[in-house]
Amino acid sequence: MNGKQKFLTMAVLCAIASVGFVLPAGAEETLTHDLDEVIVEADRDALPGGFVKTKGSIGILGDKSIMEVPFSQTNISAKTLDLFGGPTQPLDNVLVGVPAIRQAGSVLHNDFTIRGFRANGTSMYVNGVHGMLTQFNVPMAAFERVDVTAGPNTGISGSGVQYESSTAGGIINLISKKAGEQPLFRYKQTFSGKGSFGEYLDLGSRFGKDKAWGLRINTELLNGETSVDKTDIKAKGIYMNLDHRDDRSTTNFLAGYRDIDIKNGMRWFKIGPNVKNFPSTIDGSKNYAFDGMEKGAYGYFMVLNHEQKLNDDWKLFFNGGLNNNKLNKNVMGQSSAFTIKDDAGNYDLNYQSSATPQKAYYAQIGTSGKFATGAVKHEATLAIDKAWRNRDASTPLGYSGFGQLGTGNIYTGAIDQTGMPDGSYKTYLNNKTSIWGISFVDSLKYEKWGAVLGVHKHQGTSTSYSPTTGQATSSVTSDATSPTYALTYNPNEKIMLYGSHSENFDLGAVAGSTYENAGEILPPSKTKQSELGVKYLNKGFLTTLALFDIKQANNIAVTNPAGGKDFFRQDGEVKHRGIELSFNGAIASKWNVMAGIAYMDAKYEKTVKGSKDGVQESGQPKWSGSAALEYKADENFSIIGRALYTGSSPLYNTDSSRHFYAPSYMTFDLGVTYKTKINSIPTKLSLMCYNLANKDYWMVSRGDQIYASTPRTIYMSAEFDI
């Protein structure tokens, strides 16, 4: 028996043993197959197959049917989260089913791109509230749905204080688990990677008069080695969702705490100026980190949503939240990546250590109502909000904050480490950013025609502070207006045609001391999108087609015609044009599909001295696609396979002197789910294999970095409804 066979045998035995530990049975108790009594859960508003839902959140417009939304919208269901969201898998392994989203992350950082723009937890929403998450491994145990609106759209999303990434590519809104009509006591055990075990509790109940109150509690406990050598994840968390409903109001309160620690999660590299050939693929199962590399964070978040009916047509609403998170261990490669020095694959173990504690707050109040002007029906929403974030940074104690610990090689995996990192530091207030905004949106309907007219106005201030004096060193205040408008036509209830325009903004920037116009405040950078689309929903099968054209303004150095220092101007631009096609639903009896394909032409339009004008943007492949196919033999047994494709992607080396192309790649997943009873307890057993063929590949991320692939990963779970 070889090593892989031993590993698979051990994994199966562990899963079987775990069932025995949870449910001790007497000699007379056996595995039963009383299938007629197995509880079958129905996912409300889900298309056949249950991968996506037909209704989801659309910013301040509230929950809408996808056939009402004049934008590209995908509402990812709990089933999809469960199938592809293994605890040691990157978040993008779930989101990639949306054609607009492409993989760009690891288990350490949940990066991905949406229509070509970098995103992660820092740019996502929780129950419609921004700023509640960080870039560091999203706690998916608390959520039952992810609603994705592709494309920039500040007009419907409201204000948000971003860092690390932005909402320029779209809105990602995580919806928390809420108590259902029936009591729930669910225990789940998982095994994945080489030795990662997880335990999860999911408790829910409604109580009080007419079951007006609902309580849902989720806990997680994860510990062990992933499928990458020596990469260990420890996570523990608890999340509570309390809701109340009556004839006049609805209220939802979500609170969560999480502590997570990841050791040896290094997966990404940069290409140095002396590398002449693009590196060959490396073994994705090997560890390329140094001893002592570790990222750890802990903290809590709270989100409150309330709606109050004024009458049958009008309501008031409030959305608010706070996030207190401390990234207190951040020992990593310098500038987050190791730099490959030569064609032999050598790199130095250059490191840095830091910490970034932060607090974020958000508050929004608004009103929404329905009225008519003649034959035209209106649904208008007016909202005012404010978002602010206080972020600390760190300074090292007794050393420079950087260091070299030895050398490594990407091909041999050999690491010659000569020392251990120094992680001592102290923190200080680094930045305060606040932004307030006002939004107005009117959705109009006349016979088969519809329109959306909206505008968002904001003003934001960002202030930086000195690490030594604690005094403010610079401050930038800027404002902008972002319109949203759309036109729809429904020839019948099955078809929707639409055209829309939407925008997104960042805060303004100040020209630094190295520029001729030092101190000048530049206006917020705008991202503008025009989109045309068609949606066809018939007999439980949804087909969507979207064409988009996005322009994003950038601040760049501009040559001073009089000589001397360059000017800092908002004179740069990138353009993303593309087409996305998706299919969701049942294609035949017992066969379900979730598939999509995307083409995007991303180019630099205006660059420094025209050096890259018209060139394909670094890190942006033209083609990508995914296809998940499920065979559901009956309500208790199903098999699912999935293929993921990413096209060839361009990137530059560290000094932009050489242009490379990372090869295209395709991976496959395969899994099976079986519902039965064990000791009269309804049970769901699942087995998934991600990257079935153990494909090694380079994934391009953050524009100029290449990530080692995630190797074949076995994921098993046993779920018991007690």
Side-chain angles (χ1 to χ4, degrees), residues 3 94 115 319 322 395 397 443 447 496 498 643:
V94 171
R115 289 195 170 166
N319 299 301
L322 66 91
T395 57
L397 295 175
S443 299
E447 296 181 349
M496 177 187 186
Y498 69 89

Side-chain angles (χ1 to χ4, degrees), residues 135 163 294-298 325-332 352-358 391-396 399 401 422-430:
Q135 85 277 20
Y163 80 104
E294 183 176 7
K295 291 204 174 189
Y298 65 94
N325 184 271
K326 291 188 177 181
L327 178 59
N328 62 321
K329 298 177 184 177
N330 194 17
V331 183
M332 58 182 176
Q352 67 182 78
S353 178
S354 63
T356 53
Q358 58 186 289
R391 182 160 53 92
D392 289 359
S394 62
T395 57
Y399 74 113
D422 186 339
S424 58
Y425 63 84
K426 66 176 181 178
T427 60
Y428 67 95
L429 177 62
N430 175 257

Side-chain angles (χ1 to χ4, degrees), residues 235-251:
K236 53 187 176 182
I238 183 168
Y239 314 95
M240 180 200 74
N241 194 97
L242 179 68
D243 73 273
H244 179 267
R245 65 193 185 193
D246 58 35
D247 293 338
R248 306 295 299 175
S249 67
T250 59
T251 305

Side-chain angles (χ1 to χ4, degrees), residues 91 112 120-126 129-133 138 172 174:
L91 176 62
F112 55 93
N120 56 35
T122 65
S123 55
M124 296 168 69
Y125 293 72
V126 173
V129 174
H130 188 272
M132 299 299 101
L133 301 172
V138 175
I172 313 292
L174 281 72

